[in-house]
Amino acid sequence: MHEPDSRLTRGAIALVALCHEYCLTIDSAGECSDAADFTRRLLGLLPRIYITAFDLPYAPEEAEDISGILDEEQYAGVCSSVARIYGEHDTYLDALHEDMKYSETPVAASLSEQLADLYQAFYDFTGTVKELPADSIDGTVADMCVRFRDYWSATLCTALRVLNHLYQEGILTEEQD
């Protein structure tokens, strides 16, 4: 009988690497003085993360829970660092927000919270993967795919739309001139 292949796929390895790179980028937010450059880096990473996760096989029956590693204090620090970078542009009106169907007024959303939510998902994922032997990672990758479809794909797309607007309209560059 043929044994299942327990080696990680290229897609799974790529997802781990991209999520780690995103975390490193967000970790550098505290030292960032150029919002346009920081945004450009995120615009290069987020679509690649989305495509890589999207292309992984969806196997919810194989999912094994990702450990919650990031604590509240770390989350708040990330959120604060990113909010400082975007300043007045951190809060924006989100017409696609879930609460809009119950509201007659626009719903405000926070770019820093969305990027911190992604950071938490990616930090927990990479931290869990780091602690597991290679032949046990498949279940964690499957859980990440479930979470991608249930939650963080929408968060990523919303953040990407806002980042793209800020960058392509030159809003962040104009402020530094």
Side-chain angles (χ1 to χ4, degrees), residues 27-110:
D27 285 339
S28 73
E31 294 88 45
C32 180
S33 61
D34 186 345
D37 182 58
F38 182 76
T39 302
R40 187 187 62 70
R41 286 188 285 155
L42 291 175
L43 287 171
L45 274 171
L46 291 173
R48 293 170 32 221
I49 293 170
Y50 183 95
I51 291 167
T52 303
F54 184 85
D55 285 344
L56 287 172
Y58 181 64
E61 66 282 354
E62 295 175 15
E64 294 178 21
D65 283 342
I66 293 171
S67 301
I69 298 171
L70 189 75
D71 64 38
E72 240 179 271
E73 189 177 308
Q74 290 171 294
Y75 178 92
V78 164
C79 203
S80 175
S81 294
V82 174
R84 181 191 56 76
I85 291 170
Y86 291 109
E88 68 183 86
H89 303 294
D90 182 53
T91 303
Y92 65 93
L93 300 179
D94 187 0
L96 298 175
H97 196 279
E98 181 69 22
D99 293 342
M100 275 300 290
K101 60 183 161 187
Y102 308 110
S103 177
E104 293 181 21
T105 59
V107 174
S110 167

Side-chain angles (χ1 to χ4, degrees), residues 45-177:
L45 274 171
L46 291 173
R48 293 170 32 221
I49 293 170
Y50 183 95
I51 291 167
T52 303
F54 184 85
D55 285 344
L56 287 172
Y58 181 64
E61 66 282 354
E62 295 175 15
E64 294 178 21
D65 283 342
I66 293 171
S67 301
I69 298 171
L70 189 75
D71 64 38
E72 240 179 271
E73 189 177 308
Q74 290 171 294
Y75 178 92
V78 164
C79 203
S80 175
S81 294
V82 174
R84 181 191 56 76
I85 291 170
Y86 291 109
E88 68 183 86
H89 303 294
D90 182 53
T91 303
Y92 65 93
L93 300 179
D94 187 0
L96 298 175
H97 196 279
E98 181 69 22
D99 293 342
M100 275 300 290
K101 60 183 161 187
Y102 308 110
S103 177
E104 293 181 21
T105 59
V107 174
S110 167
L111 180 58
S112 60
E113 284 182 17
Q114 290 170 333
L115 295 174
D117 287 350
L118 292 171
Y119 179 86
Q120 180 170 17
F122 302 162
Y123 185 91
D124 289 348
F125 172 60
T126 57
T128 300
V129 165
K130 185 171 57 174
E131 298 299 319
L132 295 174
D135 62 348
S136 301
I137 294 174
D138 289 343
T140 304
V141 172
D143 189 37
M144 191 61 161
C145 290
V146 169
R147 292 171 187 233
F148 168 77
R149 283 163 179 79
D150 291 350
Y151 171 68
W152 67 261
S153 64
T155 302
L156 186 150
C157 288
T158 302
L160 184 61
R161 179 179 53 86
V162 174
L163 291 167
N164 183 66
H165 171 74
L166 293 172
Y167 188 81
Q168 298 299 347
E169 296 298 319
I171 293 167
L172 302 171
T173 307
E174 292 169 5
E175 292 177 355
Q176 294 177 352
D177 292 340

